[in-house]
Amino acid sequence: MKEIIVIIKAYYHEVNKLIFLLCSLFTGILIWLNYEHHLEYELVKQSVLPCAGFTGDLLIYLTAFLLPYLLLISIKNKMPSPASGFWFCLFGAPILFALKVNLNSNMFISTDRHWNDYWNVIIYWPARLILVVFILIICNMLLYERNAMYGLSGKKINYTPYFILLLIMVPLIVAASTQNDFLSTYPKMKMIFPLPENSDPGWFYKLLFQLSYGSDFFTIEIFFRGFLVIGFMKWVGKDAILPMACFYCTIHFGKPLAECISSYFGGLLLGIISYHTRSVYGGLLVHLGIAWLMEAGGYIGNMNN
């Protein structure tokens, strides 16, 4: 735990305080617009834009990612070099994630409608993982050294601090599990309830869902901490952390307000960790652990309601 505290303090002392303040304020404004004025709903659900889901998400993600970088470049008066690769990834990242969120992968897998619905849920997250990883591999081959694959190297790290972080989160998740907005969202596993007929043993199909759901957090970590931090540090160093955290916050629109707000600070923390360790595995452990704890909290909380 001491190791994590040290790198957080180092980041605080090194970060440009004006950029930090402006990015945090900008993120707060986006959260306010979404939860008070239904920004995401208006752009994605009620918009007259073509391909409203994709276009609406893209506008949100692009704004959240581009503006912090424009602030960074303006205040520091320094253009990342080589600029062509930077701008390609800057605009490409929101496009890729909007595509990931809105990709229609509904397939005809079974003649039984209930089983067909179940298997489409199961393949939903792994299919998007494959898409994102495939595109990032191509990007890596074009723009980076072949051996610099977004923090996926086998670098040895100490996992003890990350388990301590998970333990710290337990009482917070227990408290959240008593709130109606949390219980209306979690557990995600209720997406597959009731299970189709002949789904014995039921625990197997529930476990399969949790593994599928868990694969999405690998997608999130390699994209946000691997690509947007470790990948972008080639151009901007530690300054890649703040724009990533702002972008990361917006993908939590639609989640409970407290979760959305905390995602900004969680994104900062995981970004700082990945920047210093050059690895996504510590962040993946924390993120995946929190996700499954929230599943457990939602499941138990709804049972007690």
Side-chain angles (χ1 to χ4, degrees), residues 92-136:
I95 293 172
L96 174 57
F97 204 81
L99 179 64
K100 179 258 185 194
V101 171
N102 291 278
L103 182 67
N104 183 3
S105 59
N106 193 37
M107 300 173 64
F108 187 77
I109 300 172
S110 171
T111 55
D112 184 309
R113 180 175 62 85
H114 296 96
W115 277 112
N116 194 66
D117 292 343
Y118 173 82
W119 287 116
N120 271 285
V121 169
I122 296 302
I123 68 172
Y124 179 88
W125 291 291
R128 283 149 180 77
L129 170 61
I130 293 170
L131 170 71
V132 171
V133 170
F134 176 73
I135 293 176
L136 290 184

Side-chain angles (χ1 to χ4, degrees), residues 164-174 262 286 290 293-294:
I164 295 174
L165 282 176
L166 278 178
L167 288 175
I168 292 172
M169 291 300 300
V170 170
L172 300 178
I173 294 172
V174 170
S262 64
V286 173
I290 290 174
L293 285 171
M294 291 170 71

Side-chain angles (χ1 to χ4, degrees), residues 50-167:
C51 302
F54 172 80
T55 308
D57 281 329
L58 177 59
L59 287 173
I60 294 171
Y61 300 157
L62 185 60
T63 301
F65 196 47
L66 178 61
L67 188 57
Y69 268 112
L70 294 179
L71 287 171
L72 174 68
I73 293 169
S74 176
I75 292 172
K76 290 205 165 184
N77 195 26
K78 183 180 178 181
M79 182 66 68
S81 178
S84 58
F86 168 76
W87 290 108
F88 174 80
C89 290
L90 183 63
F91 283 93
I95 293 172
L96 174 57
F97 204 81
L99 179 64
K100 179 258 185 194
V101 171
N102 291 278
L103 182 67
N104 183 3
S105 59
N106 193 37
M107 300 173 64
F108 187 77
I109 300 172
S110 171
T111 55
D112 184 309
R113 180 175 62 85
H114 296 96
W115 277 112
N116 194 66
D117 292 343
Y118 173 82
W119 287 116
N120 271 285
V121 169
I122 296 302
I123 68 172
Y124 179 88
W125 291 291
R128 283 149 180 77
L129 170 61
I130 293 170
L131 170 71
V132 171
V133 170
F134 176 73
I135 293 176
L136 290 184
I137 287 174
I138 295 175
C139 184
N140 183 75
M141 293 172 64
L142 295 174
L143 298 174
Y144 304 96
E145 296 177 5
R146 298 293 178 90
N147 60 352
M149 185 53 185
Y150 309 120
L152 292 177
S153 65
K155 181 179 178 181
K156 185 177 181 181
I157 61 175
N158 178 16
Y159 287 99
T160 302
Y162 306 105
F163 284 110
I164 295 174
L165 282 176
L166 278 178
L167 288 175

